[in-house]
Amino acid sequence: MASLAQPARGHSLPLAAIVLPALCVAAFVFLIATRPQVPGDAAQAAALDSVLLWNSILPRSVLALVAGAALGLSGTLLQRVLRNPIADASTLGIASGAELAMTAALSFSPLLIGPSREIVAFGGGLGAVAIVLALSWRRGLDPVTVALSGMIVSMIAAALSVTLILARGEYAMSIYIWGAGSLSQQDWDGVITLAPRLVLGFVSALILIRPLRILTLDDSSARSLGLALHMARFAVLALAVWLAASVTSEVGVIGFLGLAAPAIARLLGARSTGSLMIAAPLTGAALLFLTDCLTQILGPGFTDLAPTGAATALLGGPLLLFLLPRVHSVSAVAAQSTQALKRLSKPIAALAVLSAAIQLLFALFLTLGPSDDGWHMATGVLFTDLLPFRLPRTLVAAGAGGMLAAAGFIMQRVTGNPIASPEVLGISSGAGAGLTVALFLFGFPSPVIMLLAMALGALAAFGAMIAISARAQFSPERMLLAGVGIGAFAMAIVTMVLAQGDMRGYILLTWLSGSTNRAGAFEAWTAMISLIVLVTPLPFLGRWLTMLPLGGNSSRSLGLRVGASRLVLAVLAALMTAIASFLVGPLSLTGLIAPHLARLAGFDRPAHQLAASVLSGAGVLMTADWLSRVVIYPYQVPVGLFAALIGGPYLIWLLSRKDIKQ
């Protein structure tokens, strides 16, 4: 178990009690003084100005204070009951689970969701955290395992949410804007709904103060003091989930505030459970209020710069990276050898068989499909008519799958980590952040500019992950958490533009889904040429790929220039990730699955593993693309989302194993 790091002693907490309210007052005064004037004659403008003040600005400000306090309290409860300094509604999947439940309800029964939305959000959040805890239980709720499990659950929930949003076009952007955490108000209903829940939650937390103090001890000590451990944990977890779900149901997802508020409160001097129960909600209220004021001040006219929830999510990645040294894992995922469990006696012959199988699948997927009167093999004129639609998307899926597999292979060899992949380490999200910047700067950039921007974003994310992990000697748990942090920060940037609700947001939403519906000649040629150009140099770098898993010191002693080799491989992996993510989105998990399949099949040497990984990745994504076309015919599921729904359970199974073998 991890223990919460104790801050240095001092008198910063009383000082913060003066500084934070002063900052809030100053920000509110500045907001009122600088807000745009209502146009029209003086009397009418004054009346409208008064309406805006009393029915929009003031209730919004109070709601920010109440929601921030509720999330701060929720984060404190979660961190205390799990003894985990990086636990909150975002890292445990609670927010994503609540958002998925709300999205499903809003999609299928928008008129009936009003009275029951808090129950729906609570059910979704509780279900998500139950899955996370079930995955982490065998490892004693180890902080790293909990964070990884939360990331997996969040990824699957996000895939399902985007699928529902795209399927319900009339509600698509409104649901996503709500999900980004907008605090805009037209009356006091939000405050009237949420304030009593905060009071009730705080009173309940005070009643649970003794169990919370005992829960900071180890399990045996807690039992020796007479605590019903499981019942106490469930009560605290239910209270924390209810508080977070209440906020989510009212204003959407406010990212990482439950992580930030207790962390800042501890840095300011709060030590005991009682002081944290007071300091964290007050800190959360101040953080959300100041962030909301900033989004209004920096926004043009009467619009916000971004939804407040998306803005607070920008705190998540840097804060996770800051908290990395405070996370201590006793049973984290261990780095393993990258050798196969068994060796094939004839790997070349096995590769030939695998290649033939992939070619057979390719031909099958071009010809076999359902129609209104059953399944048919397309031949003759029908095959000719369908080929312009099926061939480009199948080639795109094959090329993107091969590139993601090669990128995942490189990352697992460079880091020695069996769970390293473009999706898990945040590289695909970094590509999305690059795409977002391009859309922000150029409006509607050309595909070449989009690809270049995504490549730069992926390279920046990979470089940051390598730099952070190198400081911890590529410790697997630090590397994985660094990837989670980088991915969270990058996706927060994506969400800020998505929530604007304009055409750029629709482009990003389509990219997130990984749809190949509109794949044409350009995308097909891009996939094939990129696969050939970027994968071809890798067999000539076999010495690097063989030695780097041994570690930096061992590689240097064998004469390898570690920095230069890592840089070259990072550039290749980033380019492949960017292009593949451009084609099929960031969620497919093919980069994780394909190298595992190659090792499980018995390919031992790096060159053979690479070839088998590329072929496996192409086969996995082609199969996912074909299934996405036929499972709910005549409708289609975007291939990136469908592949994530296949890869997510595999990653769950992989993580649930006591020891991860290669």
Side-chain angles (χ1 to χ4, degrees):
M1 287 290 184
S3 59
L4 297 178
Q6 298 295 328
R9 296 184 176 275
H11 303 284
S12 52
L13 189 58
L15 180 62
I18 299 172
V19 173
L20 288 178
L23 284 175
C24 291
V25 171
F28 185 74
V29 170
F30 186 78
L31 172 65
I32 296 297
T34 58
R35 65 193 174 113
Q37 297 300 311
V38 178
D41 62 80
Q44 189 178 34
L48 289 174
D49 195 62
S50 176
V51 170
L52 283 174
L53 177 64
W54 290 100
N55 292 282
S56 180
I57 296 176
L58 284 178
R60 175 174 179 161
S61 300
V62 176
L63 184 65
L65 293 170
V66 173
L71 290 173
L73 179 59
S74 174
T76 301
L77 294 173
L78 290 170
Q79 291 178 18
R80 285 279 150 173
V81 73
L82 297 176
R83 306 171 192 146
N84 186 342
I86 58 173
D88 95 311
S90 299
T91 57
L92 294 178
I94 296 170
S96 296
E99 183 182 14
L100 173 60
M102 290 285 290
T103 300
L106 285 168
S107 296
F108 296 112
S109 57
L111 298 179
L112 302 178
I113 187 61
S116 60
R117 62 182 181 181
E118 186 175 353
I119 298 174
V120 171
F122 177 69
L126 193 62
V129 78
I131 295 172
V132 170
L133 296 182
L135 290 173
S136 312
W137 196 263
R138 292 178 63 189
R139 296 178 183 270
L141 300 181
D142 172 69
V144 174
T145 309
V146 168
L148 286 175
S149 301
M151 180 202 69
I152 297 166
V153 170
S154 297
M155 184 180 294
I156 295 174
L160 290 171
S161 294
V162 175
T163 301
L164 288 173
I165 289 171
L166 288 171
R168 303 289 290 177
E170 63 269 36
Y171 303 113
M173 295 314 297
S174 61
I175 292 175
Y176 215 99
I177 292 171
W178 164 82
S182 175
L183 292 176
S184 298
Q185 299 294 301
Q186 296 179 346
D187 50 39
W188 289 87
D189 287 350
V191 176
I192 294 171
T193 299
L194 205 54
R197 288 159 175 74
L198 172 61
V199 174
L200 181 60
F202 187 73
V203 171
S204 302
L206 290 179
I207 294 173
L208 294 170
I209 190 73
R210 180 179 178 273
L212 278 168
R213 286 171 175 159
I214 297 176
L215 283 171
T216 59
L217 307 173
D218 60 82
D219 289 359
S220 59
S221 299
R223 289 192 183 94
S224 68
L225 292 173
L227 182 66
L229 199 59
H230 295 320
M231 185 178 296
R233 274 181 173 157
F234 179 77
V236 176
L237 280 171
L239 177 59
V241 172
W242 176 66
L243 285 169
S246 297
V247 174
T248 301
S249 67
E250 192 62 40
V251 299
V253 177
I254 306 293
F256 291 98
L257 195 72
L259 173 69
I264 294 174
R266 285 194 296 271
L267 291 174
L268 292 176
R271 299 176 179 82
S272 66
T273 301
S275 62
L276 268 174
M277 299 272 284
I278 297 173
L282 293 176
T283 304
L287 279 176
L288 190 57
F289 182 85
L290 290 170
T291 304
D292 188 51
C293 287
L294 194 62
T295 60
Q296 294 180 73
I297 291 169
L298 297 179
F302 289 94
T303 61
D304 299 342
L305 179 66
T308 308
T312 60
L314 290 172
L315 295 170
L319 192 59
L320 275 174
L321 299 179
F322 172 76
L323 291 173
L324 281 183
R326 303 167 187 269
V327 179
H328 304 288
S329 175
V330 297
S331 59
V333 177
Q336 303 286 340
S337 167
T338 54
Q339 299 301 313
L341 283 176
K342 58 182 180 179
R343 295 186 178 186
L344 288 171
S345 58
K346 297 180 179 180
I348 302 299
L351 284 174
V353 172
L354 180 59
S355 176
I358 299 301
Q359 294 176 48
L360 180 63
L361 284 176
F362 183 81
L364 185 67
F365 295 156
L366 288 180
T367 55
L368 180 63
S371 64
D372 295 336
D373 57 346
W375 288 77
H376 292 284
M377 293 289 293
T379 57
V381 176
L382 179 60
F383 177 77
T384 305
D385 292 339
L386 290 175
L387 194 62
F389 301 99
R390 291 182 177 178
L391 180 60
R393 64 181 298 168
T394 305
L395 287 173
V396 164
M403 285 187 284
L404 285 172
F409 173 80
I410 290 174
M411 292 178 190
Q412 291 176 20
R413 302 295 300 191
V414 168
T415 63
N417 191 328
I419 302 187
S421 76
E423 304 91 347
V424 175
L425 295 184
I427 314 305
S428 295
S429 299
L435 173 61
T436 304
V437 172
L439 290 171
F440 185 79
L441 293 178
F442 300 101
F444 298 98
S446 66
V448 174
I449 293 178
M450 293 168 67
L451 282 171
L452 180 61
M454 292 182 74
L456 292 174
L459 183 59
F462 198 9
M465 186 274 297
I466 290 291
I468 294 168
S469 304
R471 296 181 60 185
Q473 288 76 48
F474 288 95
S475 166
E477 60 268 22
R478 296 294 187 270
M479 184 184 308
L480 293 169
L481 286 179
V484 173
I486 292 167
F489 181 76
M491 289 309 297
I493 296 174
V494 173
T495 302
M496 288 183 69
V497 174
L498 252 175
Q500 300 301 314
D502 56 18
M503 197 61 191
R504 294 176 303 174
Y506 185 78
I507 292 173
L508 281 174
L509 192 63
T510 303
W511 168 76
L512 272 175
S513 72
S515 176
T516 56
N517 288 348
R518 300 180 181 178
F522 172 80
E523 289 79 10
W525 280 110
T526 299
M528 290 294 102
I529 292 174
S530 300
L531 177 65
I532 295 170
V533 170
L534 295 175
V535 173
T536 299
L538 293 179
F540 300 99
L541 306 178
R543 180 171 176 267
W544 296 359
L545 295 169
T546 301
M547 296 170 62
L548 282 174
L550 302 176
N553 293 332
S554 299
S555 299
R556 290 187 188 93
S557 67
L558 294 172
L560 182 67
R561 298 177 61 184
V562 174
S565 60
R566 282 178 179 160
L567 177 60
V568 172
L569 291 172
V571 170
L572 288 173
L575 288 172
M576 287 187 282
T577 299
I579 297 170
S581 298
F582 171 76
L583 296 170
V584 297
L587 300 174
S588 72
L589 289 175
T590 306
L592 171 73
I593 297 172
H596 279 261
L597 292 177
R599 283 192 290 272
L600 289 172
F603 293 98
D604 182 54
R605 294 181 59 186
H608 298 156
Q609 280 189 15
L610 171 63
S613 297
V614 171
L615 290 171
S616 300
V620 165
L621 215 51
M622 279 197 307
T623 304
D625 178 65
W626 181 75
L627 289 173
S628 71
R629 287 189 274 132
V630 302
V631 289
I632 55 172
Y633 178 84
Y635 304 103
Q636 298 184 25
V637 180
V639 62
L641 299 182
F642 195 87
L645 297 178
I646 296 173
Y650 173 79
L651 188 53
I652 288 175
W653 171 80
L654 189 66
L655 190 64
S656 66
R657 296 171 64 187
K658 198 72 175 178
D659 295 299
I660 294 178
K661 302 292 184 185
Q662 295 284 333

